[in-house]
PDB file of all heavy atoms in Angstrom:
ATOM      1  N   ARG A 186     -42.476 -95.465  20.578  1.00 98.00           N
ATOM      2  CA  ARG A 186     -41.344 -95.292  19.679  1.00 98.00           C
ATOM      3  C   ARG A 186     -40.110 -95.822  20.379  1.00 98.00           C
ATOM      4  O   ARG A 186     -39.897 -95.551  21.571  1.00 98.00           O
ATOM      5  CB  ARG A 186     -41.169 -93.812  19.327  1.00 98.00           C
ATOM      6  CG  ARG A 186     -40.166 -93.576  18.231  1.00 98.00           C
ATOM      7  CD  ARG A 186     -40.432 -92.285  17.495  1.00 98.00           C
ATOM      8  NE  ARG A 186     -39.554 -92.223  16.331  1.00 98.00           N
ATOM      9  CZ  ARG A 186     -38.673 -91.265  16.106  1.00 98.00           C
ATOM     10  NH1 ARG A 186     -38.551 -90.280  16.976  1.00 98.00           N
ATOM     11  NH2 ARG A 186     -37.931 -91.284  15.035  1.00 98.00           N
ATOM     12  N   GLN A 187     -39.298 -96.540  19.621  1.00 97.00           N
ATOM     13  CA  GLN A 187     -38.111 -97.151  20.235  1.00 97.00           C
ATOM     14  C   GLN A 187     -36.847 -96.586  19.648  1.00 97.00           C
ATOM     15  O   GLN A 187     -36.742 -96.324  18.448  1.00 97.00           O
ATOM     16  CB  GLN A 187     -38.140 -98.671  20.030  1.00 97.00           C
ATOM     17  CG  GLN A 187     -39.174 -99.358  20.898  1.00 97.00           C
ATOM     18  CD  GLN A 187     -39.131-100.871  20.767  1.00 97.00           C
ATOM     19  OE1 GLN A 187     -39.539-101.403  19.755  1.00 97.00           O
ATOM     20  NE2 GLN A 187     -38.657-101.541  21.798  1.00 97.00           N
ATOM     21  N   GLY A 188     -35.867 -96.406  20.543  1.00 95.00           N
ATOM     22  CA  GLY A 188     -34.532 -96.037  20.099  1.00 95.00           C
ATOM     23  C   GLY A 188     -33.558 -97.086  20.593  1.00 95.00           C
ATOM     24  O   GLY A 188     -33.940 -98.218  20.907  1.00 95.00           O
ATOM     25  N   GLN A 189     -32.330 -96.673  20.700  1.00 93.00           N
ATOM     26  CA  GLN A 189     -31.336 -97.611  21.204  1.00 93.00           C
ATOM     27  C   GLN A 189     -31.425 -97.638  22.725  1.00 93.00           C
ATOM     28  O   GLN A 189     -31.120 -96.663  23.381  1.00 93.00           O
ATOM     29  CB  GLN A 189     -29.948 -97.159  20.773  1.00 93.00           C
ATOM     30  CG  GLN A 189     -28.857 -98.167  21.062  1.00 93.00           C
ATOM     31  CD  GLN A 189     -27.507 -97.693  20.587  1.00 93.00           C
ATOM     32  OE1 GLN A 189     -27.315 -96.526  20.260  1.00 93.00           O
ATOM     33  NE2 GLN A 189     -26.544 -98.576  20.553  1.00 93.00           N
ATOM     34  N   ARG A 190     -31.872 -98.710  23.278  1.00 96.00           N
ATOM     35  CA  ARG A 190     -32.072 -98.914  24.729  1.00 96.00           C
ATOM     36  C   ARG A 190     -33.164 -98.048  25.337  1.00 96.00           C
ATOM     37  O   ARG A 190     -33.434 -98.112  26.528  1.00 96.00           O
ATOM     38  CB  ARG A 190     -30.764 -98.679  25.538  1.00 96.00           C
ATOM     39  CG  ARG A 190     -29.798 -99.800  25.536  1.00 96.00           C
ATOM     40  CD  ARG A 190     -28.831 -99.764  26.716  1.00 96.00           C
ATOM     41  NE  ARG A 190     -28.186 -98.476  26.887  1.00 96.00           N
ATOM     42  CZ  ARG A 190     -28.291 -97.732  27.985  1.00 96.00           C
ATOM     43  NH1 ARG A 190     -29.042 -98.121  29.002  1.00 96.00           N
ATOM     44  NH2 ARG A 190     -27.652 -96.581  28.071  1.00 96.00           N
ATOM     45  N   VAL A 191     -33.775 -97.179  24.593  1.00 98.00           N
ATOM     46  CA  VAL A 191     -34.845 -96.336  25.130  1.00 98.00           C
ATOM     47  C   VAL A 191     -36.133 -96.530  24.346  1.00 98.00           C
ATOM     48  O   VAL A 191     -36.103 -96.767  23.137  1.00 98.00           O
ATOM     49  CB  VAL A 191     -34.454 -94.836  25.140  1.00 98.00           C
ATOM     50  CG1 VAL A 191     -33.323 -94.570  26.115  1.00 98.00           C
ATOM     51  CG2 VAL A 191     -34.098 -94.355  23.758  1.00 98.00           C
ATOM     52  N   THR A 192     -37.238 -96.421  25.072  1.00 98.00           N
ATOM     53  CA  THR A 192     -38.567 -96.503  24.481  1.00 98.00           C
ATOM     54  C   THR A 192     -39.414 -95.409  25.099  1.00 98.00           C
ATOM     55  O   THR A 192     -39.382 -95.211  26.320  1.00 98.00           O
ATOM     56  CB  THR A 192     -39.219 -97.868  24.770  1.00 98.00           C
ATOM     57  OG1 THR A 192     -38.398 -98.902  24.233  1.00 98.00           O
ATOM     58  CG2 THR A 192     -40.607 -97.955  24.144  1.00 98.00           C
ATOM     59  N   VAL A 193     -40.166 -94.711  24.283  1.00 98.00           N
ATOM     60  CA  VAL A 193     -41.105 -93.718  24.790  1.00 98.00           C
ATOM     61  C   VAL A 193     -42.525 -94.229  24.518  1.00 98.00           C
ATOM     62  O   VAL A 193     -42.814 -94.721  23.427  1.00 98.00           O
ATOM     63  CB  VAL A 193     -40.868 -92.319  24.186  1.00 98.00           C
ATOM     64  CG1 VAL A 193     -40.888 -92.340  22.672  1.00 98.00           C
ATOM     65  CG2 VAL A 193     -41.866 -91.314  24.727  1.00 98.00           C
ATOM     66  N   LEU A 194     -43.356 -94.133  25.526  1.00 97.00           N
ATOM     67  CA  LEU A 194     -44.762 -94.518  25.413  1.00 97.00           C
ATOM     68  C   LEU A 194     -45.627 -93.293  25.645  1.00 97.00           C
ATOM     69  O   LEU A 194     -45.364 -92.509  26.571  1.00 97.00           O
ATOM     70  CB  LEU A 194     -45.101 -95.594  26.454  1.00 97.00           C
ATOM     71  CG  LEU A 194     -44.348 -96.921  26.343  1.00 97.00           C
ATOM     72  CD1 LEU A 194     -44.752 -97.853  27.480  1.00 97.00           C
ATOM     73  CD2 LEU A 194     -44.612 -97.580  25.001  1.00 97.00           C
ATOM     74  N   LEU A 195     -46.645 -93.147  24.826  1.00 97.00           N
ATOM     75  CA  LEU A 195     -47.546 -92.005  24.924  1.00 97.00           C
ATOM     76  C   LEU A 195     -48.973 -92.497  25.104  1.00 97.00           C
ATOM     77  O   LEU A 195     -49.469 -93.287  24.298  1.00 97.00           O
ATOM     78  CB  LEU A 195     -47.456 -91.141  23.662  1.00 97.00           C
ATOM     79  CG  LEU A 195     -48.413 -89.972  23.536  1.00 97.00           C
ATOM     80  CD1 LEU A 195     -48.172 -88.947  24.640  1.00 97.00           C
ATOM     81  CD2 LEU A 195     -48.279 -89.317  22.163  1.00 97.00           C
ATOM     82  N   ASN A 196     -49.623 -92.042  26.148  1.00 95.00           N
ATOM     83  CA  ASN A 196     -51.029 -92.345  26.385  1.00 95.00           C
ATOM     84  C   ASN A 196     -51.795 -91.035  26.393  1.00 95.00           C
ATOM     85  O   ASN A 196     -51.810 -90.314  27.398  1.00 95.00           O
ATOM     86  CB  ASN A 196     -51.207 -93.090  27.712  1.00 95.00           C
ATOM     87  CG  ASN A 196     -52.650 -93.540  27.938  1.00 95.00           C
ATOM     88  OD1 ASN A 196     -53.586 -92.902  27.454  1.00 95.00           O
ATOM     89  ND2 ASN A 196     -52.823 -94.617  28.657  1.00 95.00           N
ATOM     90  N   LYS A 197     -52.401 -90.716  25.264  1.00 93.00           N
ATOM     91  CA  LYS A 197     -53.083 -89.425  25.138  1.00 93.00           C
ATOM     92  C   LYS A 197     -54.359 -89.365  25.953  1.00 93.00           C
ATOM     93  O   LYS A 197     -54.801 -88.287  26.336  1.00 93.00           O
ATOM     94  CB  LYS A 197     -53.370 -89.149  23.650  1.00 93.00           C
ATOM     95  CG  LYS A 197     -52.109 -88.977  22.827  1.00 93.00           C
ATOM     96  CD  LYS A 197     -52.428 -88.654  21.373  1.00 93.00           C
ATOM     97  CE  LYS A 197     -52.966 -89.853  20.627  1.00 93.00           C
ATOM     98  NZ  LYS A 197     -51.962 -90.943  20.510  1.00 93.00           N
ATOM     99  N   THR A 198     -54.942 -90.497  26.209  1.00 93.00           N
ATOM    100  CA  THR A 198     -56.198 -90.531  26.961  1.00 93.00           C
ATOM    101  C   THR A 198     -56.015 -89.942  28.358  1.00 93.00           C
ATOM    102  O   THR A 198     -56.853 -89.177  28.845  1.00 93.00           O
ATOM    103  CB  THR A 198     -56.721 -91.965  27.065  1.00 93.00           C
ATOM    104  OG1 THR A 198     -56.862 -92.496  25.755  1.00 93.00           O
ATOM    105  CG2 THR A 198     -58.070 -92.011  27.779  1.00 93.00           C
TER     106      THR A 198
END
Side-chain angles (χ1 to χ4, degrees):
Chain A
R186 189 155 188 239
Q187 287 184 287
Q189 189 179 13
R190 280 202 310 120
V191 293
T192 301
V193 55
L194 298 178
L195 175 63
N196 185 331
K197 295 182 287 295
T198 304

